Amino acid sequence: MAEDAPRRQPTLDEVAERAGVSRSVASRVLNNAPHVSRAKREAVEQAVRQLGYVPNPTARALAMRQTGAAALVVSGEDPSIFADPFFAQVIVGASAALEEADLHLMLCLAASDRGRKRVQELLRSRGADGVMLMALREDDPLTRMADEAQMPVVFGGRPVGPAPRWYVDVDNVGGARQATEHLVARGRRRVAAICGRLDTEAGRARYRGYRDALLGAGLDPLPPREGDFTEPSGAAAMAALLADRPEVDGVFAANDNMAAGALRTLREAGRRVPADVAVVGFDDLAVARIADPPLTTVHQPVQAFGREMARMLVALVNGQDPTPLILPTRLVVRSST
């Protein structure tokens, strides 16, 4: 009589599915890690008993290093940056995805030497299961720290230079090109660009999109007027444009905050929008809808950006190898054009 075939051992994924939780939650329960609700812990323990699951010693040793938290690190100096509508929406999306995986969200600023030192210590000590990095500038020390980190790192927006292995970004070039083509289609021939910081990839990419659109239409791009993605910088850049290029009849601003600043300056200068100067922004945040006049802008899915960034990090924490992701943009036409 033939011997019975050896019984296949159940997997951690099967335990998680039976318990109705994520793989990372099941792993933390098996290793008695913190930050797991009582109901989920009991569901996992019941699934283990029902399936007869026996943890793999190697996997168990790795899982013991989990902290139950993920960090969002922004290369900025002002804590109020987290209240900026853009970053606030990113946090909403990231928090929702991390909550599904029972991971807590830590927020860190890292522009000063002290802030960077804290982040470096976080990366070295594995004080989180993984890190999401945003708003990096050219030659930012955080890029090097990420390369040396012994934990998963996901970039929110590509840094200047070679693309990292894992990142989530939006179609910055395509969105800016579409915005500028819209201005040209509205009959504007002297179109200027108020750029974001040109030591960031987003600032450079959006200027490239503007430039490509004008060259494609046989028009001459103007040198970029650089802002820092804030409303006051957009107002100042628009004032400088009016002084140097009073004939400007169209403006592409690289985000809605700067576009709102440009609208304020135009209004104070007695320029009618869009009759004299048409304006397009980028982001499609609440400020675009309440602007005077309401702002034509490039919609980027900001909450989805945060959500997908966190999901990518969770996949890495769970031992998967996700691919980079570029989210689409689309033009939303309102009264400013």
Side-chain angles (χ1 to χ4, degrees):
M1 182 174 179
E3 295 184 3
D4 292 339
R7 181 175 178 271
R8 184 181 68 82
Q9 291 296 318
T11 66
L12 180 59
D13 288 322
E14 290 170 336
V15 170
E17 183 177 3
R18 175 70 66 92
V21 300
S22 69
R23 190 179 191 276
S24 61
V25 170
S27 177
R28 289 204 294 279
V29 170
L30 291 172
N31 292 284
N32 199 31
H35 309 305
V36 181
S37 69
R38 180 176 180 179
K40 290 182 178 179
R41 188 177 297 276
E42 291 176 349
V44 172
E45 291 171 349
Q46 183 178 20
V48 167
R49 291 192 297 270
Q50 292 174 345
L51 294 173
Y53 174 76
V54 178
N56 177 283
T58 302
R60 187 181 183 89
L62 289 173
M64 286 295 288
R65 297 162 69 181
Q66 293 186 349
T67 66
L72 174 62
V73 177
V74 177
S75 185
E77 298 176 352
D78 185 355
S80 66
I81 193 172
F82 290 120
D84 179 279
F86 175 83
F87 285 101
Q89 290 300 305
V90 169
I91 291 169
V92 169
S95 297
L98 293 175
E99 185 176 352
E100 293 173 0
D102 269 11
L103 288 171
H104 292 273
L105 178 62
M106 302 164 54
L107 302 178
C108 305
L109 286 174
S112 66
D113 290 340
R114 183 178 180 183
R116 282 190 290 268
K117 186 175 181 180
R118 287 199 303 268
V119 173
Q120 188 173 34
E121 180 59 28
L122 175 75
L123 294 169
R124 286 177 175 174
S125 65
R126 295 189 62 90
D129 287 345
V131 171
M132 298 167 283
L133 295 180
M134 291 191 67
L136 300 190
R137 301 173 186 174
E138 189 174 17
D139 299 325
D140 197 312
L142 288 179
T143 304
R144 175 183 51 79
M145 293 180 195
D147 291 339
E148 298 171 354
Q150 299 300 310
M151 67 170 66
V153 176
V154 172
F155 287 79
R158 286 165 289 186
V160 174
R165 186 170 180 182
W166 297 294
Y167 64 84
V168 176
D169 209 344
V170 299
D171 184 9
N172 289 303
V173 173
R177 183 189 303 116
Q178 188 177 20
T180 309
E181 288 172 345
H182 174 72
L183 289 168
V184 173
R186 286 289 198 265
R188 310 298 164 148
R189 293 297 179 265
R190 296 173 296 278
V191 180
I194 298 176
C195 301
R197 295 184 61 107
L198 292 175
D199 60 354
T200 67
E201 180 57 26
R204 293 183 181 185
R206 292 176 192 179
Y207 181 72
R208 287 199 302 272
Y210 153 85
R211 186 173 182 275
D212 290 349
L214 288 186
L215 290 174
L219 300 174
D220 293 328
L222 297 179
R225 298 284 176 163
E226 187 174 356
D228 62 3
F229 295 110
T230 65
E231 193 269 356
S233 74
M238 190 70 244
L241 270 172
L242 291 178
D244 296 344
R245 303 274 185 169
E247 74 278 9
V248 162
D249 61 3
V251 173
F252 164 64
N255 80 337
D256 290 345
N257 290 335
M258 293 191 298
L263 290 176
R264 174 164 62 87
T265 294
L266 289 167
R267 186 166 54 249
E268 293 170 352
R271 298 293 185 96
R272 298 168 299 164
V273 178
D276 298 326
V277 183
V279 179
V280 181
F282 199 114
D283 284 339
D284 196 22
L285 299 173
V287 65
R289 296 187 289 275
I290 65 175
D292 182 21
L295 184 65
T296 294
T297 187
V298 176
H299 174 87
Q300 64 164 318
V302 182
Q303 280 197 30
F305 181 94
R307 184 171 61 250
E308 294 303 328
M309 186 170 54
R311 285 177 175 173
M312 185 174 291
L313 186 66
V314 170
L316 288 168
V317 170
N318 289 338
Q320 302 170 32
D321 187 13
T323 58
L325 180 63
I326 303 290
L327 298 173
T329 59
R330 59 182 172 84
L331 188 70
V332 178
V333 179
R334 299 191 178 98
S335 302
S336 69
T337 57

